[in-house]
Amino acid sequence: MVDLAEEMDNPTFRSDTVLSDVHLHCPSKRHLMVRLNAVGQPVFLSSFKLLWSTEDLASGKHVREITTGREQQCRSGDELCDKDRSNVKEEGELNSEGVKALLDDDGDLEVVRRPRSASDLQAEDLLRDIVCPVILMKGKEDAFEDEEQECTCSDVVKIEHTMATPLEDVGKQVWRAAFLLADYILFQRDTFRGCSVLELGGGTGITSIIMGTVAKRVYCTDVGEDLLGMCEQNVALNKHLMEPGGGEIKVKELDWLKDEFCTDPEAPYSWSEEEIADLLDHCAVIMAADVFYDDDLTDALFRTLYRITHNLRNSCTVYLALEKRLNFTLRHMDITCEAYSHFRNTLNDLENLQDGKMKYTVEPVKLDFSQFLVYERIEQL
């Protein structure tokens, strides 16, 4: 018998362990283990801050927002902003003595640092509060009662998730590209209002939940009964966010390695004939976030994407979000991003497809839109 508390205090990562660090940057929120899932993995509950309320969204009022990254920095990472340049000049330039002027009495270099502005402190407090997992022990619930009361229902998404899993279970974690896509949904909320939407590889369901605040119906799909159960639980936890707009989320199984929808009435999360007909008749948006990490699965996703769009009654728009993950490989003896390269090649093949039936047009989305959720928007997104 392994002591779970001791195991979580001293985690051991195997070579096949995959860890998302999104939960580490959830500001001022502890993470409570709520249960063990069917395969014995600890499941945690995290609260992610929304910079708007569902009441404001439903009434059409202005949505609160924060700018992408640090507004004080230039969009080009290798250039200093005018403000930073002026700060550098004010804080000390090399005089006629050159570098010697920057040395102390012992000959050590004295580094002049720019004073931290209030905006820097605010940004750090917003995005970089590192928190550690906490196992909720019996009798200690009261310790977190005040913290839970600080969260108003209309500006917090609560998500059950795991923290470190084998590669085949990465859907149970929360990934940055899901937040990026959710940001875009909120930025273009009028575009998605009243739509019928399909999400491929929905994972914990956070992007579908955000889409559900503006869309009419969202089919959130993935594979694995345990994962789909977690997703369904998250939808239930955040049902109040969809109520003002009347949105509906249906959690369904969709296996990219199979050519047909699961319609077995005995199988959990299967499709009814009415639901399949509704999807094919009304779907206007398909979305997927951070599902391009394995070449075989990428190929399977694009086959599924072609099959579904080929059967839709109307044209639709597909939104794909991902994080470029750079790795050093012995095969290339260099830093590469093979999964991203394969994704782009497959995307190009889809755009160049000439079968006389379908036409796909690919357009990049500029990422200079405002940030509506609290997370770390890194340049690899």
Side-chain angles (χ1 to χ4, degrees):
M1 177 67 70
V2 178
D3 186 340
L4 182 60
E6 180 180 351
E7 195 71 18
M8 289 305 298
D9 288 337
N10 301 282
T12 300
F13 297 99
R14 307 192 311 271
S15 60
D16 63 344
T17 299
V18 182
L19 172 67
S20 167
D21 65 352
V22 168
H23 61 279
L24 296 177
H25 301 283
C26 185
S28 305
K29 297 297 170 191
R30 293 181 176 89
H31 301 270
L32 310 180
M33 193 192 83
V34 293
R35 59 186 173 86
L36 293 175
N37 62 18
V39 294
Q41 297 167 337
V43 175
F44 294 84
L45 178 64
S46 293
S47 296
F48 297 98
K49 182 72 173 178
L50 298 170
L51 301 176
W52 53 272
S53 68
T54 52
E55 288 83 358
D56 292 339
L57 195 65
S59 62
K61 293 182 180 179
H62 178 67
V63 179
R64 291 171 288 153
E65 58 190 47
I66 61 176
T67 54
T68 57
R70 286 182 53 208
E71 192 64 28
Q72 292 75 20
Q73 289 182 336
C74 292
R75 297 197 181 278
S76 176
D78 56 356
E79 295 181 0
L80 283 173
C81 293
D82 292 337
K83 179 179 178 181
D84 288 337
R85 287 195 180 97
S86 62
N87 284 336
V88 170
K89 291 180 180 179
E90 292 174 0
E91 288 158 9
E93 296 176 331
L94 292 180
N95 60 16
S96 59
E97 296 298 324
V99 177
K100 291 182 180 180
L102 299 179
L103 303 180
D104 63 13
D105 295 337
D106 298 328
D108 298 322
L109 180 65
E110 289 187 338
V111 179
V112 179
R113 300 186 183 276
R114 178 170 63 89
R116 301 175 71 188
S117 64
S119 60
D120 293 335
L121 296 173
Q122 183 179 9
E124 180 175 296
D125 180 65
L126 188 64
L127 296 176
R128 302 295 298 182
D129 287 350
I130 306 300
V131 294
C132 299
V134 176
I135 297 179
L136 185 60
M137 306 301 291
K138 185 176 181 180
K140 294 187 178 180
E141 291 87 346
D142 294 340
F144 308 106
E145 183 175 351
D146 293 338
E147 183 178 348
E148 289 298 315
Q149 289 177 351
E150 293 176 1
C151 302
T152 59
C153 293
S154 61
D155 63 359
V156 168
V157 176
K158 293 184 178 181
I159 297 293
E160 287 192 3
H161 61 95
T162 58
M163 289 190 177
T165 64
L167 185 63
E168 61 268 19
D169 283 336
V170 293
K172 297 175 183 176
Q173 300 188 53
V174 184
W175 301 93
R176 286 191 188 93
F179 285 101
L180 181 70
L181 185 52
D183 261 349
Y184 188 75
I185 293 167
L186 294 175
F187 176 68
Q188 295 282 6
R189 54 195 178 278
D190 290 338
T191 300
F192 302 108
R193 198 179 303 278
C195 286
S196 182
V197 181
L198 169 67
E199 181 174 14
L200 302 174
T204 61
I206 187 168
T207 307
S208 282
I209 290 169
I210 296 299
M211 179 63 86
T213 63
V214 291
K216 177 181 180 181
R217 182 173 295 111
V218 181
Y219 290 97
C220 181
T221 68
D222 216 310
V223 291
E225 185 175 346
D226 194 46
L227 172 58
L228 292 171
M230 176 184 290
C231 181
E232 190 173 52
Q233 169 69 4
N234 287 330
V235 171
L237 283 173
N238 297 280
K239 187 177 180 181
H240 58 282
L241 297 177
M242 282 81 76
E243 288 176 347
E248 177 187 21
I249 299 178
K250 293 191 174 186
V251 178
K252 297 293 176 180
E253 177 184 327
L254 184 57
D255 191 340
W256 306 340
L257 300 178
K258 297 180 180 179
D259 294 333
E260 301 294 337
F261 291 94
C262 176
T263 56
D264 181 2
E266 300 297 324
Y269 308 106
S270 63
W271 297 73
S272 68
E273 295 296 337
E274 291 78 11
E275 289 169 336
I276 296 175
D278 175 66
L279 175 71
L280 298 181
D281 287 344
H282 301 106
C283 182
V285 174
I286 299 176
M287 60 181 184
D290 245 331
V291 296
F292 306 102
Y293 55 88
D294 177 87
D295 290 355
D296 292 336
L297 287 179
T298 295
D299 293 339
L301 171 66
F302 276 98
R303 287 195 299 268
T304 300
L305 191 61
Y306 175 80
R307 174 173 57 85
I308 292 176
T309 54
H310 180 74
N311 290 303
L312 292 180
R313 178 181 295 272
N314 303 303
S315 61
C316 75
T317 305
V318 183
Y319 295 90
L320 306 175
L322 70 159
E323 178 181 341
K324 293 172 64 175
R325 294 180 174 85
L326 304 174
N327 298 287
F328 180 85
T329 61
L330 293 176
R331 184 158 63 94
H332 295 92
M333 293 301 292
D334 198 1
I335 296 176
T336 63
C337 191
E338 293 185 288
Y340 176 75
S341 298
H342 184 76
F343 158 75
R344 288 306 301 263
N345 291 335
T346 310
L347 187 63
N348 289 337
D349 292 341
L350 185 68
E351 186 177 23
N352 296 326
L353 180 67
Q354 296 180 358
D355 61 358
K357 301 176 182 178
M358 301 290 295
K359 174 62 178 177
Y360 297 89
T361 303
V362 177
E363 298 179 4
V365 176
K366 293 183 179 180
L367 301 186
D368 56 356
F369 54 87
S370 297
Q371 187 170 330
F372 295 89
L373 294 100
V374 177
Y375 68 102
E376 188 180 26
R377 187 185 285 188
I378 60 176
E379 61 181 356
Q380 287 78 23
L381 287 174

